[in-house]
Amino acid sequence: MWILELVVILIVSVTFSNIISHFVPEVPISLFQIVIGLFLSLLLGVNVDIDAHWFMLLFVAPLLYNDAWRFPKRELWELRGPILGNAILLVLLTTLIGGYFIHLLMPQLPNSVALALAAVVSPTDPVAVQAIAKRVKLPESVLHIVAGESLINDASGLVSFNTAIKATVVGTFLIGQAVTNFFWMTFMGLIVGLALGSLLSWLRDTFDRVGLNDVVFHTVMTLLAPFLIYWTAEAVFHASGVIAVVAGGVLTKILSDQHINARHPEISVTAVRTWEIFVYLLNGIIFVLLGIGLPPIVVAVVKNAQIHTGQAILYGVIVWLIIFTIRTLWTYGNQVVWYLRNRDQKPTVKMAIISGLTGVRGAVTMAAVMTVPAVIQDGSAFPQRDLLIFIAAVVVIVSLLVATIMLPIVTKVRSSHDFTQPEISDAELPETGEGREAELSESRARIFAIQVGIATLREQQNDTNRAVVYELITRKQATIAQIREQLMGEKAEDVQFDNSELRRIALDAQRNRLQQLLVEEKISILIFSIQSRRLERLEKLIGADKKFDNSAHWVRILTRRALRSVRIWLSDESNKQFKAETSLAIREMAKAAIKALSQHMEKYDGDTVLHRMERQNAYELIVVYRYQIEHEKHPDTPEQRELDDKQRMELELLALNAQRETIQDLYEQGRITRQAGINIRQFINYAETAALAGKNEE
């Protein structure tokens, strides 16, 4: 009964902190949650004994999985160098150098405990940074780097922390054993995470194919994923559950994006919103628990004869200063190296300080430090456990306060963040007239409505949005293809969608044009080989009459990409030359495919059903190739991507509105049933919500 009461108290506390933060937005909500925890402990006598294993499983696993799921792939891939440097090298330097200075500062801390303290305060907290960014205009590159490194440095920092803690518990610190243990936990955790992430994605795709599209089922399955991955890695393979959860989350996100679930956007929207609530509660509960646990720790520090309370607070501030200095110097050094290589951006102390200030510590740090065991292997108390937790808490609080106060002063720019979101309303469908028989099934009505949406997009096409229009049309055509696959079991005359002949015609034209480019010496043999292999794979898929399944073949994809990268590295070509020749080959092959399809369609100019269907299939393929051309020609800059996102949302909303009006017209004409109209309109509403909210939540 006490556990249930505690859960209610914690949830109410987090909710109350949100109310306070609404009226005092300048102060991070985490500080209010710590204060509420102090109130519960000091005035109400609430006390919580935390078990390390369930705490990591309950809090750390889902938090890291959520960070991995929200992984913004494009920006983070472009910044992969500084991100990996911050997430791995900076964490190791912080652990080693910081641990050395912490031991000098506090000799009463054993070396392994000092290393553990440095490791646990090394991960950054993107949630706190994003909250500050709503009030302060931070550089986009800084935000993306913090988001990317926080995903990986949580794993590297916690593995280093666990290694140091285990060394303390055992009583010996052998560098060889520690390194071996580190690599075993890392690589085995990576393998477990990738394997289970692939398995879970395959299961979701399988359930989807057999028609198990229940929103509650998929949402619950997504919520269980981090706990299953973490428990399997830790309990079965004795590997790092942290690494496994991050790897599984990233892979699941990548595979999910490969299958844009346009048929069931309700699943995506519901899962995203459920995770937002779940993670919000977990983050808040961690800081409330920190507040609840602080008084006993402070009492223990006060009773500690080796150190004064004020001195312990000063130590905490100095530890934060050490971590801040290491991060600032590291960032400035990276700027210098970048400038020496590219000569385009001069290093600035201001940017280095901003990066240092954004290294805010938060929920993961507190979740980890609260798992320090009370006793070691010989039965004695863990050395300076209370001091370790106290200093980590001081570092978290100081980093939050300093960032909140100093970032507005350093940046001198306030944010124009818009917190509003449009409301979505849906009118009730009118009752159908009695005695009228519907002509269209729900699936055919959806196809017709999507085709109207495609026509709307074509009407909106101009020189500035052509690439986005082709992208949206391609996605909607893929949705139509998915719906048509469901019709395969219906009447035979309805299944006339085979376009294998057209695809072979297009592939033959692409292959001929690729050979011409090689003969004309416009592309290298390497580009010719890579593109030829791609065409061969596409031809095999036509022969097998199936589409490529990324969930089942992700290992093959990653291996192929790795081998291609090695081939590029071993060749004499530069990266820019490779990209330019690849872009040229794709554009020229797409043009050749369009020309071949157009010539083939000249003999299908009749008004028969077969001719109209053949022309429609050819048009759908031509749109795909036109999108490839426009995508290669389209500039890829942050400004252009921002403009594309805006245009994409506006165009998608126009198309969805046209689909909604079409369904209403079909219902009023009696061509669809009332229930079919409700179902399709519900699908459109969820798709609209996904477009407004941002499906990938990046």
Side-chain angles (χ1 to χ4, degrees):
M1 188 66 182
W2 164 240
I3 295 179
L4 295 177
E5 293 175 351
L6 177 63
V7 171
V8 173
I9 291 173
L10 293 175
I11 294 176
V12 170
S13 301
V14 173
T15 306
F16 184 63
S17 69
N18 187 33
I19 296 174
I20 300 175
S21 179
H22 176 76
F23 294 102
V24 192
E26 291 78 11
V27 179
I29 191 172
S30 305
L31 297 179
F32 291 125
Q33 291 161 351
I34 293 173
V35 172
I36 292 174
L38 288 171
F39 172 82
L40 293 175
S41 177
L42 296 175
L43 299 183
L44 301 182
V46 177
N47 185 35
V48 181
D49 293 326
I50 296 176
D51 178 79
H53 298 290
W54 72 257
F55 196 83
M56 292 288 289
L57 177 64
L58 179 60
F59 290 96
V60 175
L63 288 176
L64 293 183
Y65 189 85
N66 178 70
D67 288 343
W69 180 261
R70 301 170 74 91
F71 189 76
K73 301 179 297 303
R74 181 193 295 269
E75 289 80 2
L76 299 187
W77 176 251
E78 293 175 353
L79 296 168
R80 59 189 179 277
I83 286 174
L84 290 176
N86 283 15
I88 299 176
L89 297 179
L90 179 58
V91 167
L92 293 178
L93 284 176
T94 302
T95 301
L96 297 175
I97 299 176
Y100 172 76
F101 282 106
I102 289 172
H103 180 66
L104 289 181
L105 179 68
M106 294 174 283
Q108 62 269 37
L109 289 183
N111 283 321
S112 58
V113 178
L115 290 172
L117 176 57
V120 81
V121 296
S122 61
T124 54
D125 183 13
V127 176
V129 176
Q130 292 290 345
I132 296 172
K134 292 179 180 179
R135 298 182 297 275
V136 180
K137 185 66 175 179
L138 294 177
E140 287 294 324
S141 60
V142 173
L143 284 176
H144 290 317
I145 290 175
V146 172
E149 69 168 300
S150 64
L151 175 63
I152 305 172
N153 70 9
D154 284 340
S156 56
L158 291 182
V159 170
S160 301
F161 170 74
N162 289 332
T163 302
I165 291 297
K166 287 182 179 179
T168 307
V169 171
V170 173
T172 58
F173 186 81
L174 300 176
I175 187 65
Q177 183 179 358
V179 171
T180 302
N181 182 58
F182 180 88
F183 279 103
W184 166 261
M185 294 178 65
T186 300
F187 287 108
M188 199 61 203
L190 184 66
I191 293 172
V192 172
L194 293 177
L196 290 181
S198 179
L199 175 63
L200 291 173
S201 296
W202 177 79
L203 286 175
R204 292 188 66 182
D205 292 340
T206 302
F207 292 144
D208 186 68
R209 283 195 295 270
V210 300
L212 184 55
N213 297 314
D214 183 72
V215 176
V216 175
F217 172 80
H218 278 274
T219 303
V220 172
M221 186 176 176
T222 304
L223 289 174
L224 289 176
F227 303 107
L228 176 64
I229 294 173
Y230 184 91
W231 179 84
T232 303
E234 291 281 344
V236 179
F237 295 94
H238 304 289
S240 172
V242 171
I243 296 288
V245 166
V246 171
V250 171
L251 180 63
T252 305
K253 172 64 173 174
I254 293 174
L255 296 180
S256 176
D257 287 347
Q258 298 288 349
H259 300 278
I260 299 174
N261 198 356
R263 288 167 52 197
H264 304 285
E266 180 185 5
I267 294 176
S268 299
V269 174
T270 304
V272 168
R273 297 307 175 214
T274 302
W275 265 104
E276 284 184 351
I277 297 171
F278 185 47
V279 169
Y280 173 79
L281 287 175
L282 290 181
N283 267 301
I285 289 174
I286 286 176
F287 284 101
V288 173
L289 289 175
L290 169 61
I292 293 174
L294 272 180
I297 295 172
V298 173
V299 171
V301 172
V302 170
K303 293 180 178 179
N304 192 335
Q306 300 180 12
I307 186 172
H308 188 269
T309 306
Q311 188 179 8
I313 297 175
L314 178 61
Y315 283 162
V317 175
I318 295 175
V319 169
W320 170 83
L321 187 59
I322 292 172
I323 305 300
F324 167 78
T325 303
I326 294 173
R327 182 180 179 86
T328 302
L329 293 176
W330 170 269
T331 303
Y332 189 79
N334 282 339
Q335 292 184 67
V336 172
V337 172
W338 178 268
Y339 177 72
L340 294 176
R341 287 181 178 178
N342 301 278
R343 300 288 179 178
D344 56 350
Q345 292 181 352
K346 292 185 178 181
T348 62
V349 177
K350 177 181 177 181
M351 185 61 68
I353 293 176
I354 291 175
S355 177
L357 291 173
T358 55
V360 179
R361 275 64 193 170
V364 173
T365 294
M366 293 317 307
V369 78
M370 295 174 75
T371 63
V372 176
V375 295
I376 59 176
Q377 194 173 51
D378 61 7
S380 60
F382 189 96
Q384 303 296 333
R385 178 181 184 274
D386 295 326
L387 181 60
L388 173 64
I389 298 176
F390 180 81
I391 292 178
V394 172
V395 171
V396 170
I397 296 172
V398 170
S399 67
L400 285 169
L401 287 175
V402 173
T404 303
I405 297 171
M406 293 301 299
L407 276 175
I409 298 175
V410 175
T411 58
K412 299 180 181 179
V413 181
R414 303 293 292 182
S415 173
S416 57
H417 181 78
D418 183 11
F419 294 93
T420 61
Q421 256 190 342
E423 296 280 341
I424 300 176
S425 60
D426 184 28
E428 180 72 19
L429 280 169
E431 294 293 333
T432 57
E434 295 184 2
R436 304 184 67 179
E437 184 177 355
E439 300 176 11
L440 296 177
S441 66
E442 181 177 329
S443 296
R444 288 176 178 76
R446 283 187 58 193
I447 290 176
F448 180 72
I450 295 173
Q451 289 173 338
V452 172
I454 291 175
T456 302
L457 291 172
R458 289 204 302 265
E459 293 172 358
Q460 299 295 322
Q461 179 180 317
N462 55 49
D463 292 338
T464 62
N465 64 10
R466 184 174 288 109
V468 176
V469 168
Y470 283 144
E471 175 191 344
L472 294 176
I473 291 177
T474 302
R475 290 185 180 183
K476 291 185 180 299
Q477 288 178 171
T479 303
I480 292 176
Q482 290 176 345
I483 300 173
R484 284 174 173 171
E485 289 178 2
Q486 291 183 320
L487 300 177
M488 294 297 290
E490 300 186 14
K491 298 179 180 179
E493 61 267 21
D494 294 328
V495 188
Q496 303 282 344
F497 307 117
D498 184 22
N499 63 355
S500 57
E501 181 185 0
L502 294 173
R503 292 162 67 186
R504 286 193 176 93
I505 291 172
L507 282 177
D508 290 339
Q510 292 181 81
R511 187 175 285 112
N512 292 335
R513 182 54 182 151
L514 186 64
Q515 291 174 348
Q516 291 176 5
L517 291 174
L518 180 63
V519 172
E520 296 168 0
E521 296 184 352
K522 293 183 178 180
I523 61 174
S524 65
I525 297 178
L526 176 62
I527 301 298
F528 176 81
S529 174
I530 292 174
Q531 295 301 321
S532 295
R533 289 175 180 271
R534 182 175 69 87
L535 295 178
E536 290 174 2
R537 290 194 298 270
L538 292 175
E539 191 171 30
K540 290 180 181 179
L541 293 179
I542 296 175
D545 192 25
K546 64 181 181 179
K547 296 181 180 180
F548 195 72
D549 186 358
N550 288 281
S551 294
H553 301 283
W554 61 270
V555 174
R556 189 182 304 171
I557 297 174
L558 295 178
T559 303
R560 188 183 301 126
R561 290 179 179 177
L563 292 175
R564 184 178 63 186
S565 300
V566 172
R567 292 176 66 190
I568 297 170
W569 180 66
L570 293 175
S571 68
D572 295 330
E573 294 190 41
S574 65
N575 195 39
K576 290 183 179 179
Q577 180 186 356
F578 176 82
K579 290 181 179 179
E581 292 183 3
T582 300
S583 178
L584 173 65
I586 292 175
R587 284 186 280 113
E588 291 298 319
M589 287 192 297
K591 291 177 182 178
I594 293 173
K595 183 178 180 181
L597 290 171
S598 300
Q599 292 174 349
H600 178 75
M601 283 299 98
E602 291 178 356
K603 58 183 179 182
Y604 290 92
D605 57 352
D607 196 34
T608 64
V609 174
L610 177 61
H611 282 209
R612 289 198 303 269
M613 189 168 296
E614 194 74 6
R615 288 197 299 269
Q616 178 63 30
N617 288 339
Y619 168 75
E620 291 177 357
L621 279 177
I622 287 173
V623 168
V624 173
Y625 290 118
R626 283 178 176 171
Y627 171 57
Q628 290 180 4
I629 295 172
E630 294 299 328
H631 179 72
E632 293 300 323
K633 292 164 50 179
H634 204 56
D636 188 17
T637 63
E639 295 77 12
Q640 185 63 49
R641 288 198 294 268
E642 184 177 355
L643 177 61
D644 289 346
D645 289 339
K646 181 180 179 181
Q647 291 179 337
R648 188 177 294 108
M649 185 184 72
E650 293 174 351
L651 290 168
E652 179 69 14
L653 294 180
L654 284 174
L656 290 172
N657 190 54
Q659 292 176 226
R660 184 183 288 109
E661 292 176 355
T662 300
I663 294 302
Q664 181 66 23
D665 291 341
L666 290 176
Y667 171 75
E668 292 175 353
Q669 296 167 13
R671 301 184 64 184
I672 59 174
T673 64
R674 179 177 184 274
Q675 188 59 47
I678 291 175
N679 293 342
I680 299 173
R681 285 171 64 90
Q682 186 180 50
F683 164 83
I684 294 172
N685 290 341
Y686 281 121
E688 192 172 50
T689 303
L692 289 169
K695 185 176 186 300
N696 292 330
E697 291 297 307
E698 294 182 358

